[in-house]
Short mmCIF file of all heavy atoms in Angstrom, two decimals:
data_model
loop_
_atom_site.label_atom_id
_atom_site.label_comp_id
_atom_site.label_asym_id
_atom_site.label_seq_id
_atom_site.Cartn_x
_atom_site.Cartn_y
_atom_site.Cartn_z
N LEU A 5 5.64 -13.37 -4.35
CA LEU A 5 4.76 -12.75 -3.37
C LEU A 5 5.23 -11.33 -3.11
O LEU A 5 6.38 -11.11 -2.72
CB LEU A 5 4.74 -13.54 -2.06
CG LEU A 5 3.92 -12.91 -0.92
CD1 LEU A 5 2.43 -12.89 -1.27
CD2 LEU A 5 4.15 -13.67 0.40
N ILE A 6 4.35 -10.36 -3.35
CA ILE A 6 4.63 -8.96 -3.01
C ILE A 6 4.02 -8.70 -1.63
O ILE A 6 2.86 -9.01 -1.38
CB ILE A 6 3.98 -7.99 -4.03
CG1 ILE A 6 4.42 -8.31 -5.45
CG2 ILE A 6 4.31 -6.54 -3.66
CD1 ILE A 6 5.83 -8.00 -5.77
N ILE A 7 4.81 -8.12 -0.73
CA ILE A 7 4.32 -7.78 0.61
C ILE A 7 4.36 -6.27 0.77
O ILE A 7 5.41 -5.65 0.72
CB ILE A 7 5.19 -8.43 1.71
CG1 ILE A 7 5.24 -9.96 1.54
CG2 ILE A 7 4.66 -8.06 3.09
CD1 ILE A 7 6.20 -10.65 2.50
N ASN A 8 3.17 -5.68 0.93
CA ASN A 8 3.09 -4.24 1.17
C ASN A 8 1.82 -3.96 1.98
O ASN A 8 0.72 -3.98 1.44
CB ASN A 8 3.06 -3.46 -0.14
CG ASN A 8 3.26 -1.97 0.08
OD1 ASN A 8 2.65 -1.38 0.95
ND2 ASN A 8 4.13 -1.35 -0.71
N PRO A 9 1.96 -3.70 3.29
CA PRO A 9 0.79 -3.52 4.15
C PRO A 9 0.30 -2.08 4.25
O PRO A 9 -0.54 -1.77 5.10
CB PRO A 9 1.31 -4.01 5.50
CG PRO A 9 2.75 -3.60 5.49
CD PRO A 9 3.21 -3.72 4.06
N PHE A 10 0.83 -1.20 3.39
CA PHE A 10 0.54 0.23 3.53
C PHE A 10 -0.66 0.67 2.68
O PHE A 10 -1.44 -0.14 2.23
CB PHE A 10 1.79 1.04 3.19
CG PHE A 10 2.97 0.69 4.06
CD1 PHE A 10 4.14 0.21 3.49
CD2 PHE A 10 2.90 0.82 5.44
CE1 PHE A 10 5.23 -0.13 4.28
CE2 PHE A 10 3.98 0.48 6.25
CZ PHE A 10 5.15 0.01 5.67
N GLY A 11 -0.79 1.99 2.48
CA GLY A 11 -1.98 2.57 1.87
C GLY A 11 -1.98 2.60 0.36
O GLY A 11 -1.14 1.99 -0.31
N ILE A 12 -2.93 3.35 -0.18
CA ILE A 12 -3.18 3.40 -1.62
C ILE A 12 -1.94 3.78 -2.40
O ILE A 12 -1.57 3.13 -3.38
CB ILE A 12 -4.33 4.39 -1.92
CG1 ILE A 12 -5.64 3.87 -1.34
CG2 ILE A 12 -4.47 4.60 -3.43
CD1 ILE A 12 -6.75 4.90 -1.36
N GLY A 13 -1.29 4.88 -1.98
CA GLY A 13 -0.12 5.34 -2.71
C GLY A 13 0.97 4.30 -2.77
O GLY A 13 1.52 3.99 -3.83
N ASP A 14 1.29 3.70 -1.62
CA ASP A 14 2.36 2.70 -1.57
C ASP A 14 2.04 1.49 -2.43
O ASP A 14 2.93 0.91 -3.06
CB ASP A 14 2.60 2.26 -0.13
CG ASP A 14 3.27 3.34 0.70
OD1 ASP A 14 4.50 3.42 0.67
OD2 ASP A 14 2.56 4.12 1.35
N VAL A 15 0.79 1.11 -2.47
CA VAL A 15 0.39 -0.01 -3.33
C VAL A 15 0.59 0.34 -4.80
O VAL A 15 1.12 -0.46 -5.59
CB VAL A 15 -1.07 -0.40 -3.04
CG1 VAL A 15 -1.64 -1.27 -4.16
CG2 VAL A 15 -1.18 -1.13 -1.71
N LEU A 16 0.19 1.55 -5.18
CA LEU A 16 0.39 1.98 -6.57
C LEU A 16 1.87 2.08 -6.91
O LEU A 16 2.26 1.83 -8.06
CB LEU A 16 -0.32 3.31 -6.82
CG LEU A 16 -1.85 3.26 -6.79
CD1 LEU A 16 -2.44 4.66 -6.93
CD2 LEU A 16 -2.40 2.35 -7.88
N PHE A 17 2.71 2.42 -5.93
CA PHE A 17 4.14 2.51 -6.18
C PHE A 17 4.75 1.15 -6.55
O PHE A 17 5.82 1.09 -7.15
CB PHE A 17 4.88 3.05 -4.95
CG PHE A 17 4.48 4.43 -4.52
CD1 PHE A 17 4.74 4.87 -3.23
CD2 PHE A 17 3.85 5.31 -5.38
CE1 PHE A 17 4.38 6.14 -2.81
CE2 PHE A 17 3.48 6.58 -4.98
CZ PHE A 17 3.74 7.00 -3.69
N THR A 18 4.07 0.07 -6.17
CA THR A 18 4.59 -1.27 -6.50
C THR A 18 4.16 -1.74 -7.89
O THR A 18 4.67 -2.75 -8.37
CB THR A 18 4.12 -2.32 -5.48
OG1 THR A 18 2.69 -2.45 -5.52
CG2 THR A 18 4.57 -1.99 -4.08
#
Side-chain angles (χ1 to χ4, degrees):
L5 175 65
I6 305 289
I7 303 174
N8 192 314
F10 302 120
I12 294 169
D14 288 275
V15 164
L16 292 175
F17 299 160
T18 63

